Amino acid sequence: MSSRRPDPLAQVSDFDIRLLRIFRSVVECGGFSAAETVLGIGRSAISQQMSDLEQRLGLRLCQRGRAGFSLTEEGREVYQSALQLLSALESFRTEVNGLHQHLRGELIIGLTDNLVTLPHMRITHALAQLKERGPDVQIQIRMIAPNEVEQGVLDGRLHVGVVPQASALSGLEYQPLYSERSLLYCAVGHPLFYADDKQLDDERINTQDAIAPTFRLPAEIQAHYQALNCTASASDREGMAFLILTGRYIGYLPDHYASLWVQQGRLRALKSATRFYDLSLASVTRKGRRPHLVLESFLESLAATR
């Protein structure tokens, strides 16, 4: 049984590619001496690396000596193959770099309601930058309750979310975005609407029908609701606004969200110097997520707008 001779190049390494680039330059320059300036290395180093390439390939590639430089038949074939390989590598590099410049795909975001009225507009600016960088990117925004946002990111239905920052859930990563202030409001028609803050005691406030959120909040913020007589609940801030605007309930709302109704004379804050809390909002992504260039670009823009 005859044994098969092993292939000289079982695989092409970075070293082989570097040698092939030198070989291409030598051929295009017409010899070792002319290639010195182009390659920035001496003739002896070029000669050594050409010898290394010939040894790696198991082929004689060129004749060099007093008669001058010339390619062997095998050398001409290797040169043509090297041009194809190096051209393919360059195309690959160009296409991959192009992916960074021309994003494609989709971004699915889950947002807690009523962030658009925040004056910082960080999410809006990051989305604008993403669309500028990737005009073909498809963006889906889902306005859902905070608990559903976190669950959606965990199970992969959402790429990223923005939620009130409470205790971190296992499997998720949180990055602080905003801090917003919430005040205690009542609406026209409520018994406290025209009450003087100076004469309004805490006991009277605490006995009014109030609204509690059903989404997770830090313990120090939950204490503000525990002091109230919460007889209704809502899964989001818009639901709380609906109930407050009935004139039958009091409740906390972000001041940026409530400001238009305050300007219209439909809402007022109760004892704003003491009845408030500051809540941090954070972007949330899944730990160990697969690489997603559109998502990473959005997160970079979000971080850059701080």
Side-chain angles (χ1 to χ4, degrees):
M1 180 182 295
S2 61
S3 60
R4 182 184 175 187
R5 181 181 177 183
D7 293 335
L9 284 180
Q11 61 181 7
V12 179
S13 67
D14 290 342
F15 178 67
D16 296 316
I17 292 172
R18 184 168 66 84
L19 294 178
L20 288 170
R21 290 187 191 278
I22 293 173
F23 175 55
R24 180 185 63 181
S25 294
V26 169
V27 174
E28 292 173 353
C29 290
F32 293 4
S33 297
E36 286 183 282
T37 302
V38 173
L39 294 173
I41 55 178
R43 182 175 177 177
S44 60
I46 295 174
S47 178
Q48 179 60 54
Q49 293 185 68
M50 286 294 296
S51 296
D52 290 342
L53 178 61
E54 289 178 328
Q55 186 175 356
R56 287 282 293 159
L57 297 176
L59 297 170
R60 182 73 171 175
L61 299 178
C62 60
Q63 303 291 340
R64 54 261 202 192
R66 293 182 178 179
F69 175 85
S70 63
L71 289 175
T72 64
E73 185 62 32
E74 292 84 359
R76 283 190 286 272
E77 293 187 19
V78 169
Y79 173 66
Q80 293 300 322
S81 296
L83 290 180
Q84 294 177 26
L85 172 62
L86 296 175
S87 175
L89 288 172
E90 181 61 24
S91 296
F92 174 77
R93 184 187 68 81
T94 300
E95 288 177 11
V96 169
N97 288 342
L99 291 176
H100 288 271
Q101 298 171 3
H102 305 289
L103 299 175
R104 298 178 181 85
E106 67 177 2
L107 181 70
I108 307 175
I109 311 171
L111 297 180
T112 299
D113 63 319
N114 306 124
L115 295 180
V116 72
T117 50
L118 272 164
H120 308 302
M121 299 287 284
R122 288 183 57 186
I123 296 173
T124 302
H125 293 324
L127 289 173
Q129 291 175 13
L130 177 64
K131 190 62 176 174
E132 181 179 357
R133 185 176 175 188
D136 297 328
V137 171
Q138 297 180 351
I139 299 172
Q140 296 183 36
I141 293 182
R142 299 179 184 173
M143 305 302 299
I144 50 183
N147 297 348
E148 295 180 42
V149 172
E150 290 176 308
Q151 186 57 48
V153 174
L154 273 173
D155 62 27
R157 288 180 290 117
L158 302 173
H159 295 127
V160 60
V162 177
V163 295
Q165 191 164 10
S167 56
L169 295 183
S170 176
L172 295 178
E173 294 179 341
Y174 298 81
Q175 293 295 328
L177 287 179
Y178 300 108
S179 178
E180 65 176 12
R181 174 157 293 190
S182 289
L183 304 176
L184 185 62
Y185 291 96
C186 69
V188 170
H190 193 277
L192 301 185
F193 189 80
Y194 294 106
D196 187 343
D197 268 359
K198 295 179 181 178
Q199 299 176 358
L200 191 56
D201 58 60
D202 287 336
E203 183 177 355
R204 187 178 178 193
I205 292 176
N206 293 343
T207 57
Q208 304 297 314
D209 286 330
I211 311 154
T214 58
F215 50 86
R216 297 187 315 118
L217 289 169
E220 63 272 16
I221 291 178
Q222 291 176 10
H224 289 270
Y225 291 96
Q226 292 167 357
L228 300 175
N229 178 34
C230 293
T231 59
S233 63
S235 63
D236 51 50
R237 284 100 68 90
E238 187 171 358
M240 298 177 76
F242 268 113
L243 289 171
I244 295 170
L245 288 166
T246 65
R248 299 295 182 267
Y249 296 91
I250 63 173
Y252 286 95
L253 291 175
D255 57 3
H256 62 86
Y257 177 46
S259 63
L260 180 60
W261 291 308
V262 172
Q263 293 171 22
Q264 293 172 346
R266 298 181 61 189
L267 288 182
R268 65 156 291 194
L270 300 170
K271 303 189 73 170
S272 59
T274 57
R275 292 286 183 143
F276 71 89
Y277 62 79
D278 294 320
L279 175 64
S280 294
L281 292 132
S283 65
V284 56
T285 52
R286 186 173 57 182
K287 290 181 180 177
R289 60 185 181 274
R290 292 180 179 178
H292 189 294
L293 193 57
V294 173
L295 172 58
E296 301 309 322
S297 180
F298 173 71
L299 294 175
E300 287 174 10
S301 296
L302 203 56
T305 57
R306 290 179 184 175

